Amino acid sequence: MRGALAASWPALRIFLWSRLAIWVLAAGTVLLFEDELNPSRGRWDTPRLHELGAAVDVWARWDSNWYLRIAESGYSWPSSTPAFFPGYPLLVAGLGRAVGDRFVLAGLVVSLVACAAAFALLYRLVADRLGTRDASRSVLYLALFPTSFFLGAVYGESLFLLLAVATFVLAERGRLGWAAVLSGLALLTRAQGIALLPALAVFAWRSDRRARTLALLLAPVAMFLVFPLVLEVWIGHGLAFVDAQTLWERSLAPLGPLGGLVQAIGEGDVVGPVLAVGMVALAVLSWQVLGAPYALYALAALAIPMALPSERLGGLYSFPRFALVAFPCLVALAVLGRDRRVHAAAVAVLAAGLAVGVVRWALWYWVA
């Protein structure tokens, strides 16, 4: 235990100071600039987001309401609750009831524990492949990513990231059966879990028992099918998780991943397209840095939200948050960061974007 902790300490140190800094900035913003809170926030704010005081409840915003609603009372129809997969709210529901129906507290604990574990596993994964310096930069860039504050919010991002990184850790060690199970859990956490399947297919193809290991890919699919079956029994509509997306008016673009990009450019969006192009370029580079499974996962994880733009809200609506889990892109950036000038520029740009994002989030303005 001590050995594992010592091996992961560089990542955990980054976790501690980065989460503390983000929390101080968010709490300070909401406490010192209360008069600057979004005057329209009442449209999205609900009593269930207020439980422990403003300095803590600042981490329950926007979609947190849906996760907490599911944790408290389950799925319902018609509503948007089925759009949110059950992995994260199920853990919040269990822990929340164990601590006296404090679901915001439970959500924070689940998110922060998953975040710390994801940082530690990512560090060890990259250290084994590229060395400790690249591993430290990878975790640092993840910690400073402009939407990384979602890893400590009442959102499912940190749990999904943990499951995704753990899937690769197990696959690298040849434990493809368990990797398939974790990818199934990831798929039950958010739709981007499907991006893990091409990566697992490559690992399976390279294994000694190719046919047997390829058959393991059926496991995550079978695990996910439990969700529509439960919805059918619970609310009488097994495909509600698809139909619930109509709230955001998402649909598959005829141009696929290019559809969201083209729409965003046409809408005058600058940040979204620049981030999308940059992340895709890093995903391609990750093929050379880490290998085909990582690049396929990153490209698929980015392509899914890009191919499902919202007609009403924007072509790359929420893309900066969805891009957060494409961790091979940050490993590729860490390799580029071996150049001190690139490293300094990356830290400056990422940290500035993160600071702006945290302040906007704290004041109830939409970020991603």
Side-chain angles (χ1 to χ4, degrees):
M1 183 67 178
R2 289 183 179 178
L5 182 61
S8 304
W9 178 242
L12 295 177
R13 184 170 58 241
I14 293 173
F15 164 80
L16 290 171
W17 68 253
S18 66
R19 297 313 96 181
L20 179 60
I22 289 172
W23 200 310
V24 169
L25 178 58
T29 298
V30 77
L31 293 175
L32 296 176
F33 299 98
E34 185 177 1
D35 293 340
E36 302 299 324
L37 290 171
N38 186 348
S40 301
R41 66 187 183 281
R43 297 165 54 190
W44 311 285
D45 200 357
T46 68
R48 68 168 54 92
L49 301 180
H50 301 277
E51 182 180 280
L52 300 168
V56 177
D57 296 341
V58 66
W59 295 112
R61 295 276 194 270
W62 305 100
D63 289 349
S64 301
N65 180 53
W66 295 112
Y67 285 118
L68 294 172
R69 178 175 167 180
I70 297 167
E72 292 175 3
S73 55
Y75 291 98
S76 60
W77 187 258
S79 80
S80 295
T81 55
F84 297 86
F85 289 13
Y88 178 74
L90 185 62
L91 290 178
V92 175
L95 181 58
R97 286 174 172 79
V99 295
D101 290 340
R102 293 185 178 274
F103 295 101
V104 171
L105 174 62
L108 290 175
V109 171
V110 171
S111 292
L112 289 171
V113 169
C115 178
F119 277 30
L121 283 183
L122 178 61
Y123 177 84
R124 296 176 68 175
L125 177 66
V126 179
D128 289 343
R129 295 291 304 274
L130 302 174
T132 56
R133 291 186 177 181
D134 286 338
S136 292
R137 279 194 298 273
S138 298
V139 175
L140 176 63
Y141 295 164
L142 174 60
L144 296 179
F145 195 80
T147 53
S148 76
F149 60 88
F150 281 103
L151 298 176
V154 184
Y155 269 65
E157 263 61 28
S158 58
L159 178 61
F160 178 83
L161 179 63
L162 170 60
L163 292 168
V165 176
T167 295
F168 279 92
V169 170
L170 290 172
E172 289 283 6
R173 296 177 180 179
R175 305 168 93 176
L176 291 177
W178 285 111
V181 170
L182 287 188
S183 67
L185 294 175
L187 192 51
L188 285 168
T189 302
R190 66 176 319 129
Q192 279 175 296
I194 199 171
L196 290 165
L197 300 187
L200 281 179
V202 174
F203 280 114
W205 184 262
R206 292 173 176 175
S207 68
D208 295 333
R209 299 179 179 180
R210 182 177 298 169
R212 178 178 177 274
T213 50
L214 282 172
L216 291 174
L217 295 178
L218 296 175
V221 177
M223 291 174 65
F224 175 75
L225 290 177
V226 173
F227 184 36
L229 288 175
V230 169
L231 289 177
E232 184 64 35
V233 173
W234 197 336
I235 61 176
H237 188 12
L239 295 179
F241 68 95
V242 177
D243 292 343
Q245 294 292 336
T246 57
L247 175 66
W248 296 275
E249 296 184 15
R250 289 189 182 276
S251 59
L252 183 63
L255 294 177
L258 289 177
L261 184 63
V262 170
Q263 181 180 326
I265 293 174
E267 294 163 346
D269 184 5
V270 175
V271 175
V274 169
L275 177 63
V277 171
M279 291 295 284
V280 169
L282 288 171
V284 173
L285 178 60
S286 72
W287 193 303
Q288 178 181 350
V289 172
L290 292 170
Y294 295 87
L296 289 173
Y297 163 71
L299 288 169
L302 297 172
I304 291 170
M306 291 174 66
L308 293 167
S310 169
E311 290 296 326
R312 178 170 61 91
L313 300 171
L316 292 175
Y317 180 74
S318 294
F319 177 79
R321 173 165 55 90
F322 294 141
L324 174 63
V325 300
F327 69 89
C329 299
L330 300 176
V331 179
L333 181 60
V335 171
L336 296 177
R338 292 171 181 173
D339 184 311
R340 293 183 178 180
R341 292 168 296 181
V342 173
H343 175 67
V347 168
V349 171
L350 292 174
L354 175 59
V356 171
V358 171
V359 171
R360 286 184 57 83
W361 164 275
L363 294 177
W364 265 106
Y365 287 95
W366 180 253
V367 180

